[in-house]
């Protein structure tokens, strides 16, 4: 009986404060007093790189964290406040060599011109390991921070008005990504001549107006930042339903999804692939990563007891959009391989307590997957696109010029 070796998995970790459980900051390993220091984030990302992970994502937002979906809260027993995700990534980039750095960007109130040059700069600082996770916000209080627009309040998500609002926000996000991508291409490769002898620093013919005109943005270009080392840094997005699946299919290189079992994973992958076909991108590689919140310990009883203790500290059981897994690295490896058989190409793990569960991923789960031949034993590329098996794309404007 012959057996086919399993396809290697891609692994990412989602970093959010002291962890995804709201009581995580109260754990002895949590380091809450260091949360707003560069050293704290450098330690997390270097630990993730120790585990040979493809990338880390860094959460961000345009308002304080809240236990309410759309409104601020008055809680004082949970972490509130963040550092800027793009700036965290830029700070830790020189301290790492291989791991991808993917900060979250909220497209709803952020100009794509600013994001384009920020992520291009991150790609230079990291020598080709930058990406972004694009996100929307429907929170009226966050719109009030900017004063340029109002976002209609969503009272019931199944109402036609709510569906229209959400669809419009995701359409705006798709346009945002398109503008960012065009700006990355607005300098051709080799546009900088830098010849002191002739006095020519740039070839002006290799800089291009993007002339984007849409319902949400009118952007002329070009960028002020030369084309990033990867050409196109990696774009990713979290998606839960048809409209965000469409954003992933139209605009992203990675979609993060939240199936709770293999059947649901199979269905979600099929829906994204259908949207990808509709968007005319069927021939392009598009990763679909499953998101899971994880609590990992040497035995399952300890993991479940830790979850119960955290829930008690929080005052109620923690719930999530993603599957919450509590158990051993071996049990998690079994589950990941089962979910991968349904068409997922990788996973983004959310450590419940980052000081505990991130090392459990890098020093427990990763060796278990390596024993099974399901994960790399060394970094095989120097760029994030390379780690993900994505080719460096041609410049759209150079092709038009030629």
């Amino acid at each position: 009986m012959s057996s086919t070796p399993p396809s290697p998995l891609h692994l990412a970790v989602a970093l959010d404060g002291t962890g995804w459980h709201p009581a995580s900051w109260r754990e002895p390993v949590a380091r809450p007093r260091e949360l707003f220091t560069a050293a704290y984030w450098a330690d997390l990302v270097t630990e993730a790189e120790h585990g040979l992970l493809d990338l880390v994502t860094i959460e961000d937002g345009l308002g304080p964290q809240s236990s309410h979906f759309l409104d601020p809260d008055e809680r004082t027993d949970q972490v509130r406040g963040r550092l800027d995700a793009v700036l965290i990534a830029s700070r830790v980039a020189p301290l790492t060599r291989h791991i991808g750095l993917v900060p979250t960007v909220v497209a709803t109130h952020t100009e794509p011109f600013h994001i384009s040059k920020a992520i291009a700069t991150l790609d230079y600082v990291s020598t080709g390991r930058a990406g972004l996770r694009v996100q929307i916000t429907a929170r009226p209080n966050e719109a009030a921070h900017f004063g340029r627009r109002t976002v209609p309040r969503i009272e019931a998500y199944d109402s036609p008005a709510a569906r229209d609002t959400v669809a419009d926000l995701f359409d705006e996000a798709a346009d945002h990504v398109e503008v960012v991508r065009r700006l990355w291409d607005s300098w051709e490769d080799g546009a900088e001549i830098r010849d002191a002898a002739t006095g020519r620093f740039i070839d002006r013919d290799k800089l291009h107006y993007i002339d984007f005109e849409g319902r949400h943005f009118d952007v002329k270009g070009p960028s002020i930042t030369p084309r990033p080392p990867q050409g196109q840094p990696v774009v990713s997005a979290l998606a839960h339903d048809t409209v965000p699946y469409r954003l992933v299919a139209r605009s992203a290189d990675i979609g993060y999804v939240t199936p709770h079992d293999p059947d649901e994973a199979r269905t979600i992958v099929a829906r994204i692939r259908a949207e990808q076909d509709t968007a005319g991108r069927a021939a392009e590689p598009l990763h679909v990563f499953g998101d899971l919140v994880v609590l990992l310990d040497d035995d399952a009883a300890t993991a479940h007891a830790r979850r119960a203790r955290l829930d008690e500290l929080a005052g109620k059981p923690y719930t999530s959009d993603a599957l919450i897994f509590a158990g051993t690295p071996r049990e998690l490896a079994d589950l990941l391989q089962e979910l991968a058989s349904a068409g997922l190409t990788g996973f983004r793990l959310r450590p419940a307590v980052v000081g505990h569960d991130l090392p459990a991923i890098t020093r427990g789960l990763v060796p278990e997957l390596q024993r099974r031949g399901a994960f790399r034993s060394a970094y095989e590329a120097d760029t994030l696109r390379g780690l993900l098996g994505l080719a460096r794309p041609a410049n759209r404007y150079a092709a038009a010029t030629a």
Side-chain angles (χ1 to χ4, degrees):
M1 178 175 161
S2 64
S3 62
T4 303
S7 298
L9 298 175
H10 295 284
L11 280 184
V13 165
L15 299 178
D16 186 14
T18 57
W20 287 78
H21 196 289
S24 59
W25 71 277
R26 299 175 68 179
E27 290 289 272
V29 295
R31 301 166 63 189
R33 293 182 182 276
E34 301 172 54
L35 184 54
F36 302 111
T37 68
Y40 175 84
W41 293 95
D43 287 349
L44 299 187
V45 179
T46 52
E47 179 61 36
E49 187 169 74
H50 172 83
L52 306 177
L53 303 189
D54 291 75
L55 61 97
V56 296
T57 62
I58 304 169
E59 295 300 299
D60 209 341
L62 298 178
Q65 302 93 318
S66 177
S67 56
H68 303 314
F69 188 65
L70 286 176
D71 299 301
D73 65 16
E74 302 299 324
R75 299 192 73 140
T76 59
D77 63 334
Q78 297 178 1
V79 170
R80 295 292 179 264
R82 303 182 189 276
L83 299 180
D84 182 274
V86 175
L87 295 180
I88 291 172
S90 294
R91 176 64 182 83
V92 303
L95 307 178
T96 55
R97 292 183 57 202
H98 298 286
I99 195 164
L101 302 165
V102 183
T104 296
V105 167
V106 183
T108 309
H109 302 294
T110 311
E111 292 296 334
F113 189 90
H114 295 151
I115 295 306
S116 169
K117 67 188 183 72
I119 301 300
T121 299
L122 176 61
D123 210 39
Y124 276 102
V125 172
S126 65
T127 59
R129 294 180 285 121
L132 66 85
R133 183 176 86 85
V134 65
Q135 175 176 293
I136 68 159
T137 175
R139 291 183 170 184
N141 67 297
E142 294 183 2
H145 293 325
F146 299 89
R148 296 191 208 165
R149 63 195 278 193
T150 57
V151 175
R153 181 169 188 81
I154 295 173
E155 300 293 349
Y157 267 92
D158 56 355
S159 70
R163 286 196 292 269
D164 288 346
T165 296
V166 171
D168 191 54
L169 289 170
F170 276 102
D171 282 344
E172 179 185 39
D175 277 2
H176 189 285
V177 172
E178 179 62 21
V179 173
V180 166
R181 286 191 180 280
R182 291 191 192 190
L183 286 167
W184 285 335
D185 275 351
S186 64
W187 291 54
E188 291 183 34
D189 296 320
E192 315 96 79
I193 302 169
R194 295 178 277 208
D195 187 345
T198 63
R200 294 185 71 210
F201 189 87
I202 62 168
D203 182 345
R204 190 62 187 81
D205 292 336
K206 292 187 176 182
L207 271 63
H208 300 277
Y209 297 117
I210 68 166
D211 291 325
F212 183 93
E213 294 182 8
R215 193 158 64 87
H216 303 283
F217 304 104
D218 290 322
V219 180
K220 189 168 185 62
S223 177
I224 66 166
T225 307
R227 194 172 194 232
Q230 292 182 102
Q232 292 277 317
V234 171
V235 175
S236 64
L238 174 65
H240 295 107
D241 209 339
T242 301
V243 171
Y245 292 160
R246 195 167 297 141
L247 171 67
V248 166
R250 288 166 61 186
S251 305
D253 302 297
I254 308 172
Y256 312 115
V257 298
T258 54
H260 285 67
D261 58 55
D263 287 341
E264 190 179 4
R266 200 168 287 111
T267 299
I268 290 170
V269 170
R271 291 173 68 185
I272 290 176
R273 298 302 179 202
E275 292 289 351
Q276 189 180 0
D277 187 47
T278 301
R281 293 185 66 207
E284 297 180 31
L286 171 60
H287 285 290
V288 183
F289 283 15
D291 267 28
L292 295 89
V293 178
V294 297
L295 298 98
L296 290 177
D297 284 284
D298 290 337
D299 66 87
T302 303
H304 287 287
R306 185 159 61 91
R307 179 180 178 182
R309 189 182 74 251
L310 287 164
D311 286 347
E312 186 176 2
L313 285 171
K316 66 177 183 179
Y318 170 58
T319 58
S320 172
D321 57 320
L323 176 68
I324 302 174
F325 173 89
T328 68
R330 185 176 209 171
E331 291 168 337
L332 180 56
D334 289 342
L335 175 61
L336 298 186
Q337 290 191 297
E338 186 181 10
L339 289 167
S341 71
L344 299 176
T345 56
F347 297 91
R348 187 175 72 140
L349 305 179
R350 308 178 188 178
V353 179
V354 75
H356 179 112
D357 295 303
L358 176 57
I361 291 166
T362 58
R363 299 164 192 260
L365 174 67
V366 165
E368 178 63 32
L369 290 171
Q370 289 170 332
R371 280 191 289 272
R372 303 177 185 206
F375 193 63
R376 65 171 63 89
S377 57
Y379 280 113
E380 65 276 4
D382 294 325
T383 68
L384 179 53
R385 293 189 72 91
L387 292 177
L388 295 169
L390 304 175
R392 188 178 190 274
N395 185 304
R396 73 193 72 193
Y397 299 111
T401 303

